[in-house]
Amino acid sequence: MRWLFVAGLALGCGPPPEPAVPHYTAHSPTPELASAAYDPTQAGTAVHRVNDFVFDGGRVEIEIRRDRDRAIEVVRNYYAVPVVMKWSIDQLENLSGIGPLSGVVVLPPGPRPNQPGPPLVLTSMRILDPNQAFHREMETHHRWGDPSARPEPYAYRLPFRAGKTFSVLQGFHGAFSHRGSNEHAVDFDCPVATNILAARPGTIVAANAGAQGAGTTPDFLDYRRTNFVIVQHDDGTLGEYMHLAPSSVRVSMGQRVERGDELALSGNTGFSSTPHLHFQVITAADDGVNAVSFPFQFAVTAQRIETPVQGRSYPSWE
């Protein structure tokens, strides 16, 4: 996402600081800002805020604070799951960089969905003429998940009701779209309005239910064009259920779901050529752009687990 900002006078004040979450490494402030007596996340006055990466469950808030001849970029994560953000600033007018103008940062989660995590300073810039407006553009990319998360062994449930049988349209490394961030995804040929169930216990951290339509052009790769539910598992990995039917999400943000609980109805939204359910286990890569997709296995009977195979049909038994 690309953001443009032009500023002159200060407009308002920001919210109070949140407690730090030490598990995650934040971007270090520039030497000029590193002072025990100076908190750049509360310095001066907030002159601009914009919400980015907005879905059910949270958003990323980017704020510019003005302190005399200094413009300070501050960011907060309103999701109850870490977000990795890649950012870059260019087209500076009446500004010069004090700190870096690009980077990647892990944004610590908020305590609950739609509540802010601790504020982090991305960088600062000097306002060359404090009596004139200043301008910069920022480009951002985001991914949910802790890049250090790795899956614990688990036999996943088939994500549809007992008595239903669906085949795998596309498995791991599928030629149509299962490469890179989707390397270890599986697509089941569920017709529209199939009940989709949680394959593993976890907490609902993000969802989208308002997308309409499907296609295979690049614009449909945007998360905003598809309906999905993201479940954070107890090991920190995320279960991603995608291409869901519009307005079919049955869970609420922050809700704990158990194995077999209903999440939504399958559909045909986003980057899709036919109705199906896309499921994978992921976390964010450390570049803020890609995901890390993990191989997994389903419990296909009470006694057997196996890696899903493209073209094979799987009857749900649980």
Side-chain angles (χ1 to χ4, degrees):
M1 188 69 68
R2 192 163 185 85
W3 302 104
L4 177 148
F5 173 64
V6 178
L9 300 176
L11 301 178
C13 297
E18 296 294 327
V21 181
H23 178 70
Y24 301 102
T25 301
H27 177 83
S28 298
T30 56
E32 183 175 341
L33 299 179
S35 167
Y38 182 81
D39 181 1
T41 66
Q42 296 300 299
T45 306
V47 297
H48 181 69
R49 290 192 191 101
V50 66
N51 291 321
D52 198 4
F53 200 50
V54 181
F55 294 99
D56 293 343
R59 65 189 191 274
V60 172
E61 180 188 81
I62 301 169
E63 178 182 80
I64 298 178
R65 301 193 68 83
R66 180 171 181 170
D67 186 17
R68 297 179 296 277
D69 66 344
R70 187 179 297 155
I72 304 166
E73 297 275 0
V74 178
V75 62
R76 292 175 178 84
N77 176 16
Y78 280 71
Y79 288 101
V81 60
V83 171
V84 182
M85 184 176 90
K86 179 181 180 180
W87 61 277
S88 62
I89 293 172
D90 61 10
Q91 299 191 35
L92 275 65
E93 296 180 12
N94 194 28
L95 293 169
S96 65
I98 300 173
L101 296 180
S102 64
V104 179
V105 62
V106 180
L107 305 178
R112 287 176 292 281
N114 298 302
Q115 293 194 9
L120 301 181
V121 173
L122 294 179
T123 193
S124 63
M125 295 164 285
R126 190 171 303 284
I127 304 170
L128 301 177
D129 183 348
N131 297 315
Q132 299 297 319
F134 58 92
H135 163 91
R136 66 96 173 105
E137 291 191 14
M138 173 180 280
E139 185 170 350
T140 59
H141 300 271
H142 307 82
R143 279 283 184 175
W144 289 289
D146 179 352
S148 69
R150 293 297 180 266
E152 297 174 353
Y154 188 83
Y156 289 79
R157 187 199 197 285
L158 290 164
F160 40 88
R161 287 181 176 175
K164 297 289 186 180
T165 299
F166 299 113
S167 64
V168 174
L169 289 172
Q170 188 180 195
F172 295 174
H173 318 293
F176 177 68
S177 62
H178 289 179
R179 298 176 299 279
S181 296
N182 297 318
E183 180 180 4
H184 295 108
V186 60
D187 292 341
F188 286 104
D189 67 344
C190 304
V192 171
T194 299
N195 298 91
I196 301 305
L197 312 181
R200 181 177 179 177
T203 302
I204 308 299
V205 293
N208 192 41
Q212 300 278 346
T216 56
T217 53
D219 55 307
F220 281 101
L221 293 169
D222 190 319
Y223 265 101
R224 292 171 296 184
R225 301 300 301 272
T226 190
N227 296 316
F228 60 83
V229 170
I230 306 291
V231 179
Q232 184 173 39
H233 305 138
D234 293 338
D235 60 12
T237 62
L238 306 177
E240 185 177 66
Y241 304 75
M242 298 192 71
H243 309 299
L244 306 174
S247 304
S248 74
V249 173
R250 303 289 194 249
V251 288
S252 57
M253 298 305 101
Q255 177 183 338
R256 176 75 182 183
V257 294
E258 301 302 329
R259 181 185 179 101
D261 285 353
E262 184 173 347
L263 302 177
L265 301 178
S266 65
N268 185 31
T269 57
F271 192 82
S272 174
S273 60
T274 189
H276 71 284
L277 169 69
H278 170 109
F279 173 75
Q280 64 179 335
V281 180
I282 62 171
T283 195
D286 57 12
D287 62 3
V289 176
N290 297 295
V292 179
S293 178
F294 301 108
F296 59 90
Q297 293 183 308
F298 285 117
V300 296
T301 72
Q303 292 78 35
R304 191 174 83 253
I305 64 172
E306 66 177 53
T307 300
V309 176
Q310 186 166 315
R312 184 171 296 176
S313 294
Y314 291 93
S316 182
W317 57 276
E318 294 186 59

